[in-house]
Amino acid sequence: MFSPLESLSRSELVVRRLTDAIALGLLPDAEQLPGELDLAGIFGVSTVTVREALSVLRSEGLIETRRGRGGGSFVRTPKNGISQLARRRLDGFSLGELRDLGDVYAAICGASAALAARRSSPDDVDRLQRVADALEHAEKPDARRRADAQFHIEVAAAAQSPRLYHEEVTLQAEFGTLLWLAFGDDDSHAQMVGSCRAVVAAIAERDPHAAREAAEQRVADSTARLIDYQLSEVHA
């Protein structure tokens, strides 16, 4: 009840929302953003607030604004892709905060997988299999990360719980993008594919306990890798 209130201003919240969308690939490179009036309506803020947020994104090199006919604000994905955005955010977390986020994310993913094992349709399972195949065959780090994010979201969708789905998308933006920093090489990719297959198999077999356990372990392993990554960066 008496924990500190979130101290971000409305413009900072808009910046975070758009940065998250860029990091998740929901706003791809060169995508044109809606106009200022439209963004103000979408976020429920004033055009002045939107202007302030766009100015920050422009200064960070995440968008560019073009004048004249066909102009507007366009996404500019950093040269190092989403990894650069994730590293920026990782600097703001302590080890304790990362562990706490990992615990929460594991709980949400586990609950989603357990419900998916109970509620998913054959079409849902087929879709999960296709996403797992896409993850296995992805070659570049960014493609692997996008496929992994899509897998988490598809499991949440198969759970048929709007609240869990919302929490998954929120945590994917807040924490999932950080987990990607510790993955991308062939060894970690093989581990991710294997854990992904384990979750899908448990859901297909209608085994909620195994699905929850596999999903939670998947996040726990990823969190441990991220903490090792942060420690290595500190001592580098």
Side-chain angles (χ1 to χ4, degrees):
M1 176 178 176
F2 295 108
S3 60
L5 296 174
E6 190 167 23
S7 59
L8 295 178
S9 68
R10 292 176 76 78
S11 63
E12 288 171 325
L13 289 171
V14 173
V15 168
R16 175 185 285 184
R17 185 74 63 83
L18 292 174
T19 301
D20 287 345
I22 294 171
L24 288 170
L26 300 176
L27 290 174
D29 189 51
E31 177 87 359
Q32 183 174 7
L33 297 179
E36 291 180 358
L37 280 174
D38 291 330
L39 284 173
I42 291 169
F43 293 124
V45 298
S46 69
T47 53
V48 172
T49 297
V50 169
R51 243 173 252 129
E52 290 174 356
L54 294 179
S55 177
V56 171
L57 292 170
R58 198 176 301 115
S59 68
E60 293 182 349
L62 295 178
I63 65 168
E64 64 176 355
T65 300
R66 304 171 194 167
R67 306 296 178 188
R69 179 175 294 182
S73 294
F74 297 82
V75 173
R76 289 182 59 193
T77 303
K79 289 183 179 179
N80 293 331
I82 54 179
S83 295
Q84 183 175 329
L85 297 176
R87 285 192 185 93
R88 240 186 253 174
R89 179 168 293 175
L90 181 63
D91 291 339
F93 288 96
S94 67
L95 290 179
E97 288 171 330
L98 289 178
R99 289 191 185 95
D100 187 49
L101 272 172
D103 290 342
V104 173
Y105 195 34
I108 293 298
C109 290
S112 294
L115 283 177
R118 293 189 180 98
R119 299 175 177 175
S120 61
S121 67
D123 287 343
D124 291 328
V125 175
D126 287 344
R127 189 159 51 250
L128 288 172
Q129 293 280 13
R130 288 196 298 271
V131 175
D133 291 341
L135 175 61
E136 182 173 3
H137 297 128
E139 296 182 357
K140 294 183 179 180
D142 279 357
R144 291 172 175 179
R145 291 160 182 157
R146 284 194 298 272
D148 183 64
Q150 185 63 31
F151 175 73
H152 280 280
I153 290 172
E154 289 293 348
V155 171
Q160 300 179 31
S161 168
R163 284 182 178 271
L164 273 178
Y165 182 85
H166 173 76
E167 291 300 323
E168 169 61 45
V169 172
T170 300
L171 283 165
Q172 183 63 241
E174 184 178 8
F175 189 58
T177 50
L178 299 180
L179 294 177
W180 299 340
L181 287 172
F183 286 89
D185 61 276
D186 290 341
D187 288 341
S188 62
H189 177 61
Q191 179 183 342
M192 291 296 285
V193 172
S195 62
C196 174
R197 297 288 190 194
V199 174
V200 175
I203 291 173
E205 291 167 7
R206 303 292 181 188
D207 188 336
H209 176 74
R212 181 189 295 273
E213 191 173 73
E216 289 179 349
Q217 189 60 51
R218 193 169 196 268
V219 175
D221 290 343
S222 298
T223 302
R225 274 182 176 267
L226 177 63
I227 289 173
D228 287 344
Y229 172 87
Q230 190 189 43
L231 289 172
S232 68
E233 289 290 298
V234 169
H235 294 116

